[in-house]
Amino acid sequence: MAKGNNGNYLQHSIEVANASFLQSLNKKQSIHISLTHGMAPYELCDHCDIEFLHTRRLLQIAFDSIQAELPEGTHSILHAYRRTKASFENYPNTGELLAAIIGRDHLFGTIAEVDKEKCQQLKNIWINTNVSIFNKDWRYGVNVGSRPLCAPEGLNIPWLFSMDPNIFSTAEKIDTKNDKIFSYINESDIGFISKILNSFSNSKQPGIATIFSYGQKNTVNPFKQFATDIANNTSGGIAFYQVPLRGGNVPIGAVIYYNLINNNLPIYPDDIQQI
């Protein structure tokens, strides 16, 4: 199930805006994607009790607004939601939102997903395209075989890397025997992520990497340091964004950027705040 909350809105608003921006930089209108946490193409959102409805307020506003034709100048996430007929009963993953905006034929790269059933759904929907599905923990896509989550040799189009684990952990070690490790990242992953991003940065193509965290308030500063260390390791610029808070977990996104003219980033919706 998808969470169906303001964290999803934060993540997908940023990812879709980044993809649209990167596409505009390329005459071929194509981008290379590397996504570490695939989800099924569409998922039912978690049930939300009435006292927690504020945690999905931004999504509710977005879904209400896409019932009618969207005016010119509307942010790309709303166009993506409208084209995918997004709802709490049928929430699209990053791949479907990007396909709706960029065009499936203009996407290249890899989507990782560990769940076999979800992986098969992904393979079915991406069949006969230039996007491959990697049915393993994303970490295996860094050092194994053709290194599917890293930049391909001779990359000549802009690129987008994104990861949205359920939890950023401040624990020194994560139990690698735990089948939920796919859902976690922590400091031990800095090397893996840096290796991926250095492979893309070395291509000299414009690119943007996003890493999202949905933890408690006490994880915000450790997460920001984690993402800053990755940016420093890979010579990237960095900015952080969040949505307005009303208690509970804190959705935060790190945007690390490379080879952009004047280091200009896309314009995100007004309800996404830089911090």
Side-chain angles (χ1 to χ4, degrees), residues 18-256:
N18 288 348
S20 298
F21 173 73
L22 291 169
Q23 185 183 39
S24 73
L25 303 180
N26 177 243
K27 291 181 179 179
K28 297 178 181 179
Q29 297 289 291
S30 298
I31 64 172
H32 185 101
I33 60 173
S34 179
L35 309 179
T36 60
H37 297 79
M39 284 179 46
Y42 291 87
E43 294 190 9
L44 175 70
C45 291
D46 287 345
H47 171 74
C48 185
D49 292 330
I50 190 167
E51 63 264 35
F52 297 111
L53 287 179
H54 64 275
T55 66
R56 55 173 45 174
R57 181 182 65 86
L58 296 178
L59 264 187
Q60 185 64 67
I61 292 171
F63 291 163
D64 289 344
S65 69
I66 64 174
Q67 302 308 309
E69 289 292 330
L70 297 170
E72 186 176 345
T74 299
H75 283 286
S76 53
I77 185 58
L78 295 183
H79 289 287
Y81 281 152
R82 183 171 171 82
R83 292 173 190 175
T84 56
K85 299 180 180 178
S87 69
F88 292 116
E89 291 73 37
N90 200 44
Y91 191 79
N93 69 359
T94 297
E96 292 309 292
L97 292 167
L98 296 185
I101 290 297
I102 304 301
R104 206 175 295 273
D105 292 343
H106 289 287
L107 292 170
F108 296 73
T110 301
I111 301 173
E113 173 56 55
V114 295
D115 184 278
K116 289 184 178 180
E117 183 176 340
K118 293 179 182 180
C119 185
Q120 188 58 55
Q121 293 178 49
L122 290 168
K123 287 180 177 179
N124 291 342
I125 208 162
W126 289 98
I127 192 170
N128 297 326
T129 71
N130 292 300
V131 172
S132 62
I133 308 304
F134 186 63
N135 188 203
K136 288 185 178 179
D137 185 294
W138 64 271
R139 297 169 181 85
Y140 289 101
V142 180
N143 295 318
V144 174
S146 61
R147 303 195 308 159
L149 289 174
C150 294
E153 187 174 349
L155 179 67
N156 61 359
I157 55 176
W159 56 272
L160 176 74
F161 170 84
S162 195
M163 61 190 327
D164 61 309
N166 288 340
I167 297 173
F168 169 75
S169 174
T170 56
E172 291 186 7
K173 291 185 179 181
I174 294 177
D175 181 6
T176 56
K177 295 181 181 179
N178 186 334
D179 63 1
K180 298 295 185 182
I181 186 175
F182 178 72
S183 300
Y184 290 72
I185 55 170
N186 79 343
E187 288 187 4
S188 66
D189 290 316
I190 288 177
F192 289 110
I193 300 168
S194 297
K195 190 167 186 176
I196 293 173
L197 297 186
N198 274 322
S199 76
F200 282 105
S201 177
N202 290 340
S203 74
K204 304 304 180 184
Q205 293 296 318
I208 302 176
T210 50
I211 308 173
F212 296 92
S213 171
Y214 310 102
Q216 299 292 327
K217 289 183 179 180
N218 63 359
T219 67
V220 170
N221 286 334
F223 172 74
K224 291 175 72 175
Q225 186 60 56
F226 167 84
T228 299
D229 288 344
I230 292 170
N232 291 339
N233 287 350
T234 57
S235 301
I238 190 166
F240 294 95
Y241 296 87
Q242 68 177 27
V243 290
L245 303 176
R246 285 182 56 189
N249 287 359
V250 183
I252 181 172
V255 178
I256 309 174

